[in-house]
Amino acid sequence: MTGQIVMEAPPAHDAPDEAPAHRSATSHLRRLEAESIHILRETAAEFRKPVMLYSIGKDSSVLLHLAMKAFHPGKPPFPLLHVDTTWKFREMIAFRDRRAHELGLDLIVHTNDDGLRQGIDPFTHGSARYTDVMKTQALRQALDLHGFDAAIGGARRDEEKSRAKERVFSHRSAAHRWDPKNQRPELWSLYNTMLAPGEGMRVFPLSNWTELDVWDYILAENIPIVPLYLAASRPVVERDGALIMVDDDRMPLLAGEEPHMRSVRFRTLGCYPLSGATVSTAATLPEIVREMMASRTSERQGRMIDRDSPASMERKKAEGYF
Amino acid sequence: MSYHEAPTIAASDAPRLDQDDRPTLRFVTCGSVDDGKSTLVGRLLYDSKTLLDDQLDALASESKTAGTTGGDLDFALLVDGLQAEREQGITIDVAYRFFATKLRRFIVTDTPGHAQYTRNMATGASNAELAVVLVDARKGVITQTRRHSHILSLLGIRHVVLAVNKMDLIGFDGDRFAAITAEYLTMAGQLGISEVQCIPVVAPDGDNIVAPSTRMPWYTGPTVTAYLESVDVSGDVSQRPFRLPVQWVNRPNAEFRGFCGRIASGTIATGETIAVQPSGRRTRVARILSPGGERDRAAAGESVTLTLTDEIDVSRGDVLTAGAAPQVSDQLAAHLVWFDDEAMVAGRRYMLKCGTASTGAVITTLKHRIAIDTMAQESAATLDANQIGYAHLSLDRALVFETYRDNRDMGSFILIDPISHRTAAAGMIDVSLRRATNIHWQRLAVDKSVRARLKQQRPCVLWFTGLSGAGKSTIADLVDRRLAELGRHATLLDGDNLRHGINRDLGFSNADRAENVRRAAEIAALFVNAGMIALVALISPYRSEREQARQRVETGEFIEIHVATPLAECERRDPKGLYRKARAGELPAFTGIDDPYERPQAPEITIDTSELSTDAACERIIGYLRDNHYL
């Protein structure tokens, strides 16, 4: 390889101070915001019964904030849906209930009761089986149960390679399957929202945001996020090279494992047994953004489920995972 | 490598929401299979240090197992996302990638070079301001290069970087590069691509990607990155007249009525006069709500909510305008890029979506097709997937638009197949075919809503569809009488009766049957406009025809009632003896026997008279009308 790296790492916040005071129509975050709001309004206008998937994470927090703006001074004309595996961090659940109450929104919580009865858990059944039953199947159950024809999610194209090819309005068959080879072409801002009975649409208003955009926007708009994103002293064990937080006494400790208090934070949040923490002292939003800029690993590194098998995300998506 | 040195930022460097720190350039890459597009994009990502340690580790290990570069880093693997692509070693769908340099942010759309995937290239180009066209230095300008450049020009791309790749394989020959450049510039000139920058590169090695190549000292122009960072692609969309396609009417309570949408062009300020198109009614802007709060001015690209000083009728699909009037017409000419495997059919109805407006549309004539090798216009009756043509379209209702060259958002549309729901084509409006500019629908002082209030009813069409003998006319007749008892004003259009009068010139050929349905739909729409409830009882076996009838009236004004009596029961009843004749072969193409009946997929009401009495069926329909506030 003969390539020579000559560019400097991109400093994101070096805007000159003498920038014109009123440039809001063209600022990068404002453009992303305008595009996302356009997509949310299209969804509300074109579908019979849309729903917003609320996963409580930072992307969901941004999505919710945008939905509040899109329909201001009214409320978003769709409910929130949280697929609860019962293994989320306790702080996430508390945050979820508080936000829904504060904003006066309709929150639907769905758990796969069949999976619960079978006692599916991430420790004994492995992350692949567990994710399929408690997340993918649960989501499909909830969409069918309520007859939602469009589900709005916070996925971004920069997250992962198969996501990079996802449409903004992504068609799903009546069996909730994604067919990556038969996607509808998506031109300009014109979205084909036609569905046959039983079919559905997944809608991704944050498609063109990057992880850094999300943090910049959270900081600029002062959007509430789950405190787990900020560094604090938490009990963790090291397992398979990842730091797992012992959030309750359901986690079986292996021989030699002993929880230690360490200053950690999470870049992505999900089920606590599947969310790896990073050692960090970044306890404020500006510190997180600074750490992000310096980061040398991608956010999905902390996610156990992407590593099950090659192309595992693509396969999960085809089966109906978000 | 230096990218391990993390930048340091002061904690006070909070992002400034209303400042444009680094503008975003959206560009598309295109070229043939194996020209090295994915490698070029992967190289740009790599050199911009957008890649992170775990991604680099994954790249290194995948390059050894799946790479095509003998174990060296295979940059194409960064972009070729789908598993199938990795197996076949080609890109088969559009991928979006993000990177940034000190001066700009970039969204790059990587599009396939495979001939059958031209639609993806058009998709990528539709949201791009610039295109990077790759050619293999050994092959020069080939058919695919012409095809892609033609699509780029159709989609309004005016800036092109011609990256002549694999210069190492022709010994860094400057004369060969000059010859390819000259050939491409001639073609670009014919296509109206005004600005072309030709750059010789070796994508896997990075020559002239970020750093000037030491192996081609004869080239003194900018590198790919330097050019992308500095090129000025700004349009004048803010300088053009104000256009806001209404997306959503926000009515959270009786006090607030706001009209939401993203401004397609121009600027607007509170107090300014605007016109609502296509009605042409004028009013003024009272308030502007933006995501950043209430404002006195807003510009193109912003998603806003406007309130108006007068309470006038505005709904999704209307366009708020100021300054010069937009085009308003139901006849237009447009360039089409055909996507669907099902070929274009002149005379067939498609759904057309332009801005926030949707309407039925028929391609009346295909004026010509483009022979891609020569770019010559040739006559043709149809377009197959990936073919380009120029067509005249007739729309069900007048559309508010601009030509594509004047305004991308107001001049682009997609055609959707009403049965398969696939996106059949992309269209770029070239010209309005009717001199309708500035001529609006005659605004009558008494309109539909006034008449409807007089009648204390919401006008609508009750469209009874089903097999012959299913009970359509019997039920419709009872509903008609019941509505009269309730003091409502309705009328019944019965298929058989229409054939004695307005349709007596029609026979039973396919074309005549279609015309029979079309006329009934038009008449029903006139009654709705008069504030009445129109009951139509017609077999109307084809989905597309019923869909066409639905398009004749506004959303919510068409109630499809499927009288779903099973065929066996209809045949048992056979009130007119038609089934007997059909079975005897005396009535060819009889619906249900030897011609299909396409069941409604989502009728508002379904009635099976083998389970429900006529009275009960009537009550169910009246109940539906009450529940949904028609009565």
Side-chain angles (χ1 to χ4, degrees):
Chain A
M1 194 176 64
T2 59
Q4 185 71 38
I5 306 295
V6 294
M7 288 193 308
E8 293 171 23
H13 307 299
D14 57 350
D17 286 326
E18 62 273 20
H22 187 75
R23 292 279 306 273
S24 60
T26 53
S27 112
H28 174 64
L29 289 175
R30 284 281 184 228
R31 256 195 311 260
L32 289 173
E33 183 185 59
E35 180 182 69
S36 301
I37 287 173
H38 174 82
I39 293 163
L40 286 164
R41 287 171 175 167
E42 281 299 288
T43 310
E46 294 276 74
F47 292 93
R48 185 177 43 79
K49 198 173 178 189
V51 65
M52 177 175 278
L53 296 192
Y54 181 63
S55 72
I56 323 175
K58 62 184 191 306
D59 304 296
S60 279
S61 292
V62 167
L63 203 54
L64 182 55
H65 187 78
L66 291 165
M68 294 302 291
K69 287 188 174 217
F71 303 100
H72 175 81
K75 296 264 170 65
F78 39 71
L80 306 182
L81 169 65
H82 179 229
V83 174
D84 192 350
T85 60
T86 73
W87 290 91
K88 301 294 172 191
F89 290 92
R90 285 173 299 169
E91 276 188 78
M92 289 173 72
I93 301 301
F95 180 86
R96 174 194 76 190
D97 294 342
R98 183 163 56 78
R99 285 301 286 160
H101 178 73
E102 283 167 359
L103 299 172
L105 298 175
D106 182 12
L107 169 72
I108 299 167
V109 176
H110 182 85
T111 298
N112 183 351
D113 291 329
D114 292 342
L116 273 192
R117 266 193 296 279
Q118 293 167 42
I120 303 285
D121 76 56
F123 299 109
T124 39
H125 297 88
S127 71
R129 172 94 199 284
Y130 163 79
T131 300
D132 178 54
V133 174
M134 297 310 287
K135 294 171 98 171
T136 308
Q137 304 292 344
L139 173 61
R140 290 163 54 163
Q141 281 174 357
L143 297 179
D144 288 344
L145 179 67
H146 297 276
F148 294 123
D149 56 348
I152 305 161
R156 307 185 318 268
R157 284 170 176 159
D158 81 324
E159 279 178 61
E160 197 268 343
K161 273 194 278 193
S162 80
R163 294 256 195 235
K165 313 212 160 187
E166 180 75 88
R167 301 295 190 259
V168 175
F169 282 71
S170 185
H171 180 260
R172 293 294 186 277
S173 70
H176 302 282
R177 291 191 74 90
W178 180 57
D179 181 359
K181 287 190 183 154
N182 200 17
Q183 299 197 76
R184 292 174 177 173
E186 209 160 64
L187 294 98
W188 302 289
S189 307
L190 290 174
Y191 304 109
N192 178 347
T193 53
M194 303 276 280
L195 295 175
E199 293 179 343
M201 197 70 84
R202 305 282 170 96
V203 183
F204 303 108
L206 303 184
S207 285
N208 288 327
W209 295 56
T210 64
E211 188 187 9
L212 185 59
D213 293 330
V214 166
W215 281 117
D216 276 347
Y217 191 66
I218 287 171
L219 184 53
E221 292 277 295
N222 201 18
I223 299 171
I225 50 164
V226 182
L228 290 161
Y229 284 113
L230 305 173
S233 186
R234 299 186 170 99
V236 293
V237 296
E238 194 169 337
R239 184 178 289 184
D240 299 335
L243 291 174
I244 304 298
M245 177 172 161
V246 184
D247 196 45
D248 58 39
D249 55 14
R250 288 182 296 173
M251 179 166 168
L253 295 178
L254 308 176
E257 277 185 352
E258 198 185 327
H260 289 285
M261 297 302 287
R262 295 181 72 174
S263 179
V264 295
R265 67 180 194 88
F266 294 86
R267 280 181 78 181
T268 63
L269 288 177
C271 301
Y272 81 80
L274 300 176
S275 300
T278 45
V279 176
S280 167
T281 55
T284 65
L285 277 174
E287 284 170 357
I288 288 182
V289 173
R290 196 183 334 170
E291 202 173 83
M292 265 292 309
M293 298 297 307
S295 169
R296 293 308 320 152
T297 55
S298 71
E299 64 184 313
R300 299 198 80 87
Q301 195 202 28
R303 289 196 190 177
M304 308 294 141
I305 61 168
D306 292 353
R307 294 199 237 153
D308 295 338
S309 66
S312 70
M313 174 61 82
E314 186 184 334
R315 216 192 51 243
K316 283 195 190 65
K317 277 165 60 68
E319 287 162 1
Y321 180 73
F322 221 81
Chain B
M1 286 187 206
S2 62
Y3 63 72
H4 280 292
E5 289 156 27
T8 47
I9 345 160
S12 62
D13 276 346
R16 278 152 283 195
L17 203 54
D18 291 316
Q19 284 180 1
D20 199 1
D21 47 357
R22 281 174 298 167
T24 306
L25 178 76
R26 294 190 188 218
F27 69 95
V28 58
T29 59
C30 39
S32 272
V33 179
D34 295 334
D35 280 349
K37 292 178 311 298
S38 294
T39 305
L40 178 82
V41 174
R43 186 80 217 187
L44 286 168
L45 295 177
Y46 183 82
D47 287 352
S48 69
K49 295 164 216 100
T50 305
L51 301 173
L52 303 168
D53 285 352
D54 54 327
Q55 293 170 324
L56 286 171
D57 291 347
L59 173 64
S61 78
E62 277 190 47
S63 295
K64 289 198 184 76
T65 54
T68 55
T69 48
D72 287 345
L73 291 186
D74 183 350
F75 297 104
L77 291 175
L78 292 168
V79 184
D80 289 341
L82 299 182
Q83 194 171 23
E85 294 176 349
R86 261 169 273 148
E87 284 158 7
Q88 296 169 31
I90 54 158
T91 309
I92 57 168
D93 202 335
V94 183
Y96 302 88
R97 294 286 162 191
F98 306 80
F99 68 99
T101 67
K102 216 166 24 170
L103 298 173
R104 261 193 179 156
R105 297 168 201 268
F106 298 95
I107 298 177
V108 50
T109 311
D110 186 33
T111 64
H114 237 294
Q116 67 264 43
Y117 289 116
T118 297
R119 68 174 204 178
N120 292 327
M121 218 224 82
T123 303
S126 74
N127 282 317
E129 296 141 325
L130 176 147
V132 176
V133 176
L134 270 102
V135 297
D136 184 327
R138 294 168 300 177
K139 300 178 195 155
V141 175
I142 59 172
T143 302
Q144 277 292 317
T145 319
R146 291 177 189 282
R147 180 188 293 244
H148 288 156
S149 299
H150 191 101
I151 295 173
L152 292 174
S153 95
L154 272 184
L155 282 141
I157 304 275
R158 295 190 179 95
H159 300 265
V160 165
V161 173
L162 184 78
V164 181
N165 193 20
K166 307 192 183 184
M167 289 298 294
D168 52 332
L169 302 183
I170 59 162
F172 304 102
D173 181 350
D175 291 339
R176 174 77 183 124
F177 173 75
I180 294 171
T181 298
E183 187 180 0
Y184 189 81
L185 286 175
T186 305
M187 182 178 75
Q190 292 167 3
L191 289 171
I193 297 171
S194 53
E195 200 177 317
V196 181
Q197 176 68 48
C198 302
I199 306 175
V201 303
V202 184
D205 296 346
D207 291 72
N208 286 334
I209 304 294
V210 172
S213 171
T214 53
R215 301 189 283 186
M216 290 176 274
W218 46 264
Y219 175 76
T220 53
T223 64
V224 173
T225 307
Y227 184 76
L228 294 179
E229 281 180 328
S230 60
V231 61
D232 178 15
V233 295
S234 61
D236 55 351
V237 75
S238 284
Q239 309 303 318
R240 299 195 57 80
F242 171 73
R243 305 287 186 246
L244 174 69
V246 175
Q247 255 193 305
W248 171 262
V249 181
N250 193 0
R251 304 195 68 168
N253 53 55
E255 282 77 55
F256 188 89
R257 190 153 166 265
F259 304 99
C260 309
R262 190 156 51 151
I263 302 173
S265 63
T267 59
I268 192 69
T270 50
E272 286 183 354
T273 298
I274 57 159
V276 181
Q277 306 289 359
S279 75
R281 284 188 172 155
R282 301 178 91 77
T283 180
R284 281 183 301 123
V285 176
R287 297 169 64 195
I288 301 173
L289 279 65
S290 85
E294 186 143 358
R295 300 251 302 278
D296 52 15
R297 180 167 288 277
E302 293 187 70
S303 279
V304 294
T305 301
L306 304 187
T307 66
L308 308 175
T309 52
D310 301 288
E311 228 182 78
I312 57 175
D313 186 32
V314 182
S315 49
R316 176 175 166 87
D318 289 346
V319 182
L320 307 182
T321 68
Q327 314 243 24
V328 180
S329 176
D330 59 359
Q331 307 285 322
L332 48 87
H335 298 280
L336 294 179
V337 181
W338 203 259
F339 293 152
D340 202 351
D341 289 337
E342 202 170 309
M344 186 209 98
V345 181
R348 193 165 168 227
R349 182 163 304 268
Y350 297 92
M351 286 291 303
L352 180 146
K353 193 168 179 187
C354 172
T356 59
S358 293
T359 174
V362 169
I363 298 168
T364 50
T365 34
L366 182 64
K367 301 304 285 184
H368 64 251
R369 188 168 66 193
I370 299 291
I372 206 68
D373 293 352
T374 57
M375 291 189 280
Q377 301 173 359
E378 58 187 23
S379 68
T382 186
L383 291 176
D384 291 326
N386 296 305
Q387 289 186 330
I388 299 165
Y390 186 82
H392 289 182
L393 289 94
S394 173
L395 315 183
D396 286 353
R397 60 182 73 180
L399 187 72
V400 183
F401 64 92
E402 310 256 18
T403 64
Y404 186 76
R405 86 184 73 81
D406 282 344
N407 191 325
R408 268 197 200 191
D409 287 337
M410 295 282 299
S412 54
F413 62 83
I414 53 173
L415 294 180
I416 301 169
D417 185 302
I419 305 298
S420 73
H421 296 166
R422 287 192 296 266
T423 303
M428 281 75 52
I429 300 174
D430 182 46
V431 65
S432 166
L433 291 177
R434 198 171 270 175
R435 297 180 59 85
T437 311
N438 297 325
I439 303 169
H440 298 291
W441 286 87
Q442 187 65 40
R443 290 307 302 182
L444 303 170
V446 182
D447 68 8
K448 182 165 58 181
S449 59
V450 173
R451 294 193 194 96
R453 268 201 298 280
L454 281 174
K455 300 279 177 203
Q456 298 186 353
Q457 65 190 23
R458 257 171 78 199
C460 61
V461 177
L462 298 177
W463 190 280
F464 295 80
T465 173
L467 295 167
S468 176
K472 299 180 298 294
S473 297
T474 311
I475 299 169
D477 189 48
L478 191 60
V479 171
D480 190 22
R481 276 190 276 153
R482 188 87 178 87
L483 287 170
E485 285 166 22
L486 293 167
R488 310 307 164 125
H489 202 166
T491 191
L492 173 57
L493 302 170
D494 184 82
D496 287 347
N497 295 348
L498 290 176
R499 280 187 176 276
H500 292 302
I502 190 165
N503 287 348
R504 70 179 170 205
D505 57 325
L506 299 178
F508 290 89
S509 69
N510 280 341
D512 279 2
R513 286 179 179 189
E515 178 62 13
N516 185 39
V517 176
R518 190 192 72 79
R519 287 185 194 172
E522 290 291 345
I523 295 166
L526 289 174
F527 277 112
V528 165
N529 202 36
M532 289 171 65
I533 297 172
L535 294 85
V536 181
L538 266 184
I539 298 174
S540 48
Y542 300 118
R543 241 171 246 147
S544 58
E545 291 170 353
R546 296 191 301 264
E547 190 55 37
Q548 181 179 342
R550 187 184 286 274
Q551 296 302 327
R552 296 310 303 143
V553 290
E554 288 177 31
T555 308
E557 287 180 348
F558 190 88
I559 298 158
E560 188 173 16
I561 301 168
H562 182 201
V563 184
T565 309
L567 175 64
E569 173 64 16
C570 296
E571 197 165 354
R572 192 189 60 75
R573 294 177 189 165
D574 205 5
K576 300 171 203 161
L578 297 174
Y579 284 95
R580 202 163 14 89
K581 284 188 191 166
R583 289 291 184 197
E586 293 165 30
L587 285 180
F590 191 74
T591 299
I593 304 297
D594 47 8
D595 205 52
Y597 176 80
E598 295 173 356
R599 299 173 66 86
Q601 287 177 320
E604 277 75 8
I605 303 172
T606 301
I607 283 163
D608 180 349
T609 59
S610 62
E611 293 170 354
L612 214 57
S613 71
T614 308
D615 282 330
C618 174
E619 281 319 302
R620 179 181 290 184
I621 293 165
I622 298 291
Y624 179 92
L625 296 176
R626 283 213 171 101
D627 291 348
N628 292 282
H629 313 291
Y630 291 93
L631 304 182

